[in-house]
């Protein structure tokens, strides 16, 4: 079954994370349903990646940053790059997210093109991962 991803979410992940977009999308799918304005955990988790502001990754960041999906994608991608550079894995980089166990298997599905982009893909600034510009 394909994962439906809004065109805006696809663009945010591509713009913010590039090659790590599948990780961002898998996490955002489970954390917020791709909602960049999501607030959870009694107001402590914010944004589509639900950065935790009560003693977690969101500490010290403004609401403007946390509710900016490209900023969150860029930050998470930077964390992934840093973890990999230090000998860790993507799984290790996903440790702060409680949804990591569910999100991790979705990464390969998204990277393999097992997605349905809803909305205008051409306006989203990206071509689905695993396809060519002509959609094949």
């Amino acid at each position: 079954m394909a994962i439906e991803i809004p065109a805006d979410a696809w663009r945010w992940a591509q713009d913010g994370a590039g090659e790590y977009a599948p990780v961002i999308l898998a996490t955002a799918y489970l954390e917020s349903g791709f909602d960049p304005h999501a607030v959870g955990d009694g107001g402590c988790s914010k944004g589509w990646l639900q950065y935790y502001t009560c003693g977690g990754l969101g500490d010290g960041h403004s609401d403007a940053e946390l509710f900016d999906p490209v900023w969150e994608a860029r930050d998470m991608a930077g964390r992934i790059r840093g973890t990999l550079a230090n000998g860790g894995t993507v799984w290790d980089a996903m440790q702060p997210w409680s949804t990591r166990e569910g999100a991790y298997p979705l990464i390969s599905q998204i990277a393999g093109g097992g997605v349905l982009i809803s909305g205008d893909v051409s306006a989203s600034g990206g071509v689905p991962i695993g396809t060519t510009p002509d959609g094949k």
Side-chain angles (χ1 to χ4, degrees):
M1 177 182 211
I3 297 170
E4 186 170 345
I5 300 174
D8 284 342
W10 187 265
R11 187 191 74 245
W12 300 328
Q14 292 289 327
D15 290 351
E19 67 185 304
Y20 298 110
V23 180
I24 305 310
L25 291 165
T27 303
Y29 176 68
L30 295 178
E31 287 289 344
S32 69
F34 306 113
D35 180 358
H37 306 291
V39 177
D41 298 318
C44 288
S45 295
K46 298 178 179 180
W48 74 324
L49 296 178
Q50 292 291 279
Y51 270 46
Y52 195 69
T53 60
C54 298
L57 295 178
D59 283 349
H61 296 289
S62 69
D63 281 354
E65 289 172 321
L66 298 172
F67 291 121
D68 177 344
V70 175
W71 181 90
E72 277 194 336
R74 188 173 295 124
D75 187 72
M76 186 175 182
R79 292 174 186 284
I80 293 167
R81 286 183 192 96
T83 299
L84 295 174
N86 288 315
T89 65
V90 170
W91 174 260
D92 296 332
M94 294 175 71
Q95 186 278 327
W97 285 270
S98 63
T99 56
R100 134 175 112 151
E101 195 166 312
Y104 195 74
L106 297 177
I107 296 168
S108 60
Q109 180 180 349
I110 293 168
V115 298
L116 172 64
I117 308 298
S118 61
D120 186 355
V121 177
S122 63
S124 74
V127 173
I129 296 168
T131 65
T132 61
D134 63 2
K136 297 179 182 169

